[in-house]
Amino acid sequence: MAELIGHSAQTAQFLNVLHAGKLPHGWILAGPKGLGKASFAKQIGQYLLEGQMPDRLDIGEFAINPASQAGHLIAAGAHPDWRLIERLAKTDKDAKALESAGSAGDSEQLLKRNIAIDQIRALQPLFNSRSSFSRFRVVIIDAADDLEGPAANALLKNLEEPPSDCLFFLISHVPDRLLPTIRSRCRLLRFDPLSDQDMTEILSLKRPDLTAVERDALIAVTQGSPGRALGYAEAGLAELVAKARTLMQRGDADMAIRLELVGQLSGKNGVKRQRAFLDIVPGLISREVKALSGERQSKAIQIWEDACRLVGNAQPKSLDMPSVIFALGGLMASLAPPKDYR
């Protein structure tokens, strides 16, 4: 049985409402991108469609069965009571690229800008029929922030007159951007960053190939966001983040680590990895700043400001990018404590 890792408070809140028999038809799952809101919605949705609901369920017992009929149908995209609405690929060619690339693909470049009204209208047959296998029907919109104006208005009509036993889970990274009328018709469930313990469990499960050092480095830089951590791991950044932390903790007197970073961020797919690495560095330095005090912290703040400025001025595909990476490495190395502190 697959258990949901983390978000125990949110799970408890949902289960308490479920057991009380007062389940709202609309839910907004809110919080920064990458926390696992969509995974939470999918697990809750599948659990409901499995139809095995005791009178009372403890959080520790809450799990789904991937081998169940509902699990198989959902995985195949064929469950009649399940709809997952996401941005579509721009073209058939992009759709094939997404399918072949899987989670490693740079999906943002291949997807349309918004969720279109036709995608919301396509839900109507679901609403006009009865559920096939269980009491519920489930609609997940990931993310509701991506709904174009007409699509949001079309969804609002369904929320105003909800079909019987149909649950809407709206994933939102910035809920204030949703229509006030949509927010007023849904129950808000806020999500927080996961603990380091939960992050360790997720990374160990999803990426058992990572070393403990690489895993800890990703946890340090992604601030409780398993989505970001897994994305960085997929892009091959775990080892680079670990080296960056080594720079800040031990220095780089012979410049060997900096040269390794430059080398590893060159070549095929180098531009994408360079940009991702540059985005990571200020957060890495900021974490070190918080752990310091006094003169060392003041110096570290200046280093952070210099790093932010360097990253902000860096141009993707620039021939000077190796120099930028080397300079960032120097800034991180200058954070290392003097030898008598080590």
Side-chain angles (χ1 to χ4, degrees):
M1 300 288 280
E3 296 183 4
L4 187 67
I5 300 173
H7 304 308
S8 57
Q10 289 75 15
T11 303
Q13 185 174 339
F14 183 90
L15 292 178
N16 285 336
V17 173
L18 174 64
H19 293 315
K22 299 179 180 179
L23 195 62
H25 65 274
W27 292 78
I28 294 174
L29 310 187
K33 191 172 184 178
L35 296 185
K37 304 184 296 297
S39 296
F40 178 93
K42 291 172 183 176
Q43 180 135 349
I44 289 286
Q46 181 174 330
Y47 174 76
L48 294 174
L49 294 185
E50 285 180 358
Q52 299 176 358
M53 291 174 46
D55 293 335
R56 191 73 197 170
L57 183 73
D58 293 328
I59 296 175
E61 301 170 342
F62 173 70
I64 58 173
N65 183 4
S68 68
Q69 180 185 40
H72 283 305
L73 289 171
I74 289 171
H79 199 296
D81 303 326
W82 169 282
R83 297 292 187 277
L84 173 62
I85 306 297
E86 303 172 295
R87 285 186 292 156
L88 299 175
K90 293 177 182 176
T91 65
D92 291 341
K93 182 179 178 180
D94 291 333
K96 291 179 180 177
L98 281 170
E99 185 177 354
S100 62
S103 60
D106 190 3
S107 60
E108 288 299 316
Q109 297 180 6
L110 304 176
L111 295 174
K112 292 182 179 179
R113 189 171 186 177
N114 298 111
I115 294 173
I117 186 173
D118 288 345
Q119 292 176 259
I120 302 302
R121 286 174 174 167
L123 293 171
Q124 208 56 45
L126 173 71
F127 303 148
N128 292 338
S129 61
R130 296 193 175 199
S131 58
S132 300
F133 297 110
S134 69
R135 168 187 164 189
F136 295 100
R137 288 165 289 174
V138 174
V139 175
I140 299 172
I141 300 181
D142 185 15
D145 310 328
D146 297 327
L147 289 165
E148 65 180 15
N153 288 323
L155 175 65
L156 177 60
K157 292 181 181 179
N158 293 317
L159 292 172
E160 289 174 334
E161 300 178 4
S164 175
D165 290 326
C166 187
L167 297 181
F168 295 83
F169 293 98
L170 311 186
I171 313 303
S172 179
H173 315 310
V174 191
D176 289 345
R177 294 183 182 176
L178 299 178
L179 291 175
T181 43
I182 287 181
R183 296 201 305 268
S184 68
R185 284 163 175 79
C186 297
R187 177 157 179 163
L188 183 67
L189 189 59
R190 291 195 177 276
F191 285 71
D192 302 312
L194 294 183
S195 67
D196 287 358
Q197 180 179 347
D198 288 336
M199 290 286 290
T200 298
E201 187 174 352
I202 290 173
L203 287 175
S204 298
L205 178 66
K206 300 289 187 180
R207 291 299 302 263
D209 56 305
L210 296 175
T211 67
V213 172
E214 291 171 342
R215 186 176 60 240
D216 291 345
L218 287 176
I219 292 172
V221 77
T222 52
Q223 300 176 334
S225 172
R228 286 179 63 201
L230 291 169
Y232 288 157
E234 197 68 49
L237 293 176
E239 182 183 359
L240 302 182
V241 173
K243 287 184 177 180
R245 294 187 77 200
T246 299
L247 275 173
M248 294 185 291
Q249 295 165 0
R250 302 180 186 176
D252 188 29
D254 59 1
M255 300 183 289
I257 299 178
R258 278 171 279 181
L259 291 173
E260 287 178 8
L261 285 175
V262 171
Q264 289 181 279
L265 286 167
S266 302
K268 187 178 180 181
N269 298 325
V271 173
K272 179 183 174 183
R273 297 178 78 229
Q274 287 169 1
R275 188 70 262 174
F277 184 73
L278 263 58
D279 290 342
I280 289 172
V281 169
L284 276 172
I285 296 176
S286 175
R287 190 178 178 98
E288 291 295 314
V289 169
K290 294 175 182 177
L292 300 174
S293 60
E295 291 185 9
R296 290 193 64 211
Q297 186 178 64
S298 298
K299 177 186 175 183
I301 291 173
Q302 182 61 57
I303 291 171
W304 173 79
E305 292 175 349
D306 292 343
C308 290
R309 188 159 42 249
L310 188 57
V311 168
N313 293 332
Q315 297 297 321
K317 300 184 180 180
S318 169
L319 293 176
D320 197 40
M321 189 60 77
S323 298
V324 172
I325 294 169
F326 190 86
L328 280 174
L331 289 172
M332 288 188 285
S334 65
L335 283 167
K339 289 184 178 181
D340 53 341
Y341 278 82
R342 299 181 207 172

